[in-house]
Amino acid sequence: MTNAAKLDALIAREQDRFLKLHPRSAKAWAEGRQHFLYGGPSHWMRRWAGGFPVYVEDAGGAHIRDIDGHDYVDFCLGDTGAMCGHAPEAVTQAALRQLKRGATTMLPTEDSLWVGAELSRRFGPRYWTLTTSATDANRGAIRIARMITGRPKVLVFSGCYHGGIEEAHIEIRDGRVGMRNSIHPNAVDHAAVSRIVEFNDVGGLEAALSHGDVACVLAEPLMTNFGMIPVAPGFHEALRDITRRTGTVLIIDETHTLSSGPGGYTQLYGLDPDILVAGKAIAGGIPAGLFGLSAEMAERMWKLVPFANPRQRQSAHLGIGGTLAGNALTVATMRAVLESVLTAENYEHMIANATRLAGQVRVLIANQRLPWHVTQIGARAEIMFMPEPPRNGADVIAQRNGDLEMLLHAFYMNEGILVTPFHTMLLMCPATTPGDVDRHTSVFERFIALLREAGLP
Ligand SMILES: Cc1ncc(COP(=O)(O)O)c(C=O)c1O
């Protein structure tokens, strides 16, 4: 039997076990398919490796219980949306208090004053706008970059993900630029709105920005959505230097790298973006995103759109944001997160657990001489089935073993571990315990034994 056939057989076995273990979820999924376009309320929910998602009965701290009665240690944490843990007390109380006083009014609350000041203290940028998601924050940031520069294009790095951002739905595959693997073309002419280069490619970046048609570079500090691609020494300095020289706005998307520490990767490593974006966990699971502008960007913006123009009664919008953005509920929960949940002390605890997990997995990998590695950024660890950390998207495309990931993820679910379905990212929340980490390690050890028994890899 070939290795591929052995893997197929193991995946089929795990999916069969999954089906037997989850009869109620299987039934619910069949019912959900009657009314949702892709089976669940969001199309993302169809991607779980067991073949269908488990339906959640209850989520608290770092654990989820499904409707079949199984308990999971949750390292997916809503793909970062629940990095605060599930139902954190401070957020729950703040939400309840605010819900009783009105969720949304199109007027500010006093909580917003504290939140604005705290965001600047943590992340650096001076002027903030709240949105309903990180996607929306990226869209707003891009619009501002285009307004300020008068240029049409957005430069992204191959393998990136920044939410539903049309300009970023491309990749470099076999040296050619095309639509992202799983994204169907939609008649948008990406050549007119996007440029793309490989991550860590200073020469490619310099060449792409030399045309003078790029409004902004949209980048994560290091890439977290194609497995984890670490940043090469000197790349951030080059990125900042080239964007400045070419008059290109630098947008740093901290939505995932918020796991680095209280001020994200930006504060930890002294980055200096023109616009900083974040979202997901920032309001403890209540939909929210935000972008912050440097004082210089804000001055340029106010020249185009003056701060106060009360005579403009019609169409007074900026083409940015949504009705529910920055509402009282979001702001109250964001305050609770910043004040009581994503604190320096809790980050210390989360990072210690991620370090424990990464260390234990590295020992297992080394003992078994497996060609795999683990990368960690603060509270987030990523297991990748390739010997060295990738330098860019091309390395990931060339080396990624999707079937092995699929098998691991299906095995994880059968053994009570949840990870993000799209890659093996394990995230800690304040409620994650060393015992939770050790439970993962023992499952991972059994996974290696399963492969060995089958004569893999
Ligand atoms: C780096 C990054 N930015 C933005 C987003 C979009 O977040 P949302 O789907 O919450 O809008 C994501 C989602 O995974 C992300 O990973």
Side-chain angles (χ1 to χ4, degrees):
M1 219 198 263
T2 63
N3 281 355
K6 284 180 191 166
L7 268 180
D8 281 347
L10 286 178
I11 291 169
R13 198 174 85 187
E14 287 305 319
Q15 288 192 331
D16 187 49
R17 186 154 76 104
F18 185 80
L19 182 61
K20 292 198 174 92
L21 284 170
H22 300 91
R24 287 190 64 185
S25 281
K27 187 166 173 290
W29 182 240
E31 211 175 307
R33 292 193 62 172
Q34 304 301 310
H35 296 289
F36 288 108
L37 183 61
Y38 285 106
S42 151
H43 71 85
W44 296 105
M45 296 171 182
R46 78 191 195 280
R47 301 279 303 273
W48 291 86
F52 54 90
V54 297
Y55 280 65
V56 176
E57 176 79 40
D58 192 4
H63 286 248
I64 283 181
R65 197 178 65 246
D66 72 17
I67 59 172
D68 287 290
H70 304 291
D71 169 71
Y72 302 87
V73 185
D74 186 9
F75 293 103
C76 169
L77 293 170
D79 194 21
T80 305
M83 190 171 75
C84 296
H86 298 294
E89 188 58 18
V91 175
T92 305
Q93 290 310 325
L96 287 174
R97 265 197 316 274
Q98 194 58 50
L99 279 169
K100 287 180 188 163
R101 299 160 80 197
T104 194
T105 58
M106 194 59 88
L107 290 166
T109 53
E110 284 185 313
D111 275 341
S112 68
L113 306 176
W114 188 92
V115 165
E118 175 63 9
L119 290 174
S120 291
R121 190 190 69 77
R122 281 192 182 220
F123 298 108
R126 177 81 185 272
Y127 295 105
W128 298 90
T129 294
L130 304 192
T131 63
T132 41
S133 67
T135 297
D136 217 23
N138 278 324
R139 284 201 202 107
I142 289 170
R143 179 151 232 294
I144 287 176
R146 283 178 166 145
M147 286 164 74
I148 284 176
T149 61
R151 300 174 182 172
K153 293 185 183 172
V154 176
L155 185 140
V156 293
F157 294 106
S158 189
C160 72
Y161 183 72
H162 295 283
I165 301 298
E166 193 54 55
E167 293 85 345
H169 289 163
I170 53 172
E171 66 181 7
I172 304 171
R173 196 168 277 264
D174 303 325
R176 280 200 303 276
V177 178
M179 293 300 286
R180 267 309 279 271
N181 203 15
S182 57
I183 300 187
H184 198 76
N186 63 345
V188 168
D189 178 10
H190 285 90
V193 293
S194 310
R195 284 192 182 276
I196 187 162
V197 297
E198 293 287 3
F199 196 52
N200 289 321
D201 178 4
V202 174
L205 181 67
E206 183 96 49
L209 295 190
S210 70
H211 299 275
D213 57 3
V214 174
C216 59
V217 172
L218 173 60
E220 286 190 277
L222 61 106
M223 298 188 73
T224 68
N225 280 300
F226 214 42
M228 213 185 275
I229 307 176
V231 66
F235 185 68
H236 273 297
E237 291 76 359
L239 175 61
R240 187 58 283 194
D241 173 52
I242 300 168
T243 45
R244 278 229 167 87
R245 269 195 283 112
T246 55
T248 312
V249 173
L250 177 59
I251 304 173
I252 291 290
D253 181 351
E254 288 267 14
T255 302
H256 275 181
T257 45
L258 208 53
S259 65
S260 308
Y265 191 100
T266 291
Q267 189 213 43
L268 196 58
Y269 292 99
L271 305 190
D272 185 19
D274 297 309
I275 306 182
L276 183 144
V277 165
K280 293 206 181 183
I282 200 75
I286 300 294
L290 47 82
F291 61 87
L293 267 63
S294 66
E296 190 216 329
M297 283 291 119
E299 294 295 343
R300 291 174 70 183
M301 182 72 184
W302 291 328
K303 280 205 183 91
L304 299 175
V305 184
F307 183 84
N309 187 1
R311 301 288 306 255
Q312 191 181 347
R313 306 306 300 170
Q314 287 174 10
S315 301
H317 60 74
L318 290 175
I320 291 168
T323 314
L324 297 177
N327 70 22
L329 176 63
T330 312
V331 170
T333 52
M334 201 179 283
R335 177 171 185 162
V337 166
L338 296 171
E339 213 165 31
S340 312
V341 187
L342 293 184
T343 59
E345 197 187 355
N346 277 342
Y347 267 106
E348 229 173 82
H349 171 78
M350 289 151 71
I351 293 169
N353 276 324
T355 306
R356 181 184 182 95
L357 186 144
Q360 291 178 350
V361 172
R362 281 193 191 111
V363 168
L364 292 176
I365 290 172
N367 286 349
Q368 294 289 325
R369 296 184 204 292
L370 289 159
W372 306 341
H373 74 273
V374 185
T375 303
Q376 181 190 351
I377 177 72
R380 177 186 304 269
E382 175 95 31
I383 302 171
M384 290 183 80
F385 294 133
M386 55 183 80
E388 302 289 334
R391 291 160 304 170
N392 52 36
D395 280 354
V396 177
I397 289 171
Q399 297 180 58
R400 190 168 186 176
N401 188 337
D403 287 344
L404 198 50
E405 279 176 30
M406 178 88 175
L407 175 62
L408 172 62
H409 290 202
F411 185 75
Y412 269 159
M413 293 193 82
N414 287 331
E415 301 291 327
I417 300 287
L418 286 186
V419 299
T420 285
F422 327 113
H423 47 97
T424 310
M425 184 274 288
L426 298 113
L427 183 64
M428 314 297 138
C429 69
T432 310
T433 64
D436 294 331
V437 169
D438 296 351
R439 187 163 143 194
H440 168 270
T441 305
S442 114
V443 171
F444 195 74
E445 192 169 16
R446 273 183 277 134
F447 173 70
I448 295 173
L450 178 85
L451 295 181
R452 291 303 193 214
E453 274 163 31
L456 290 165

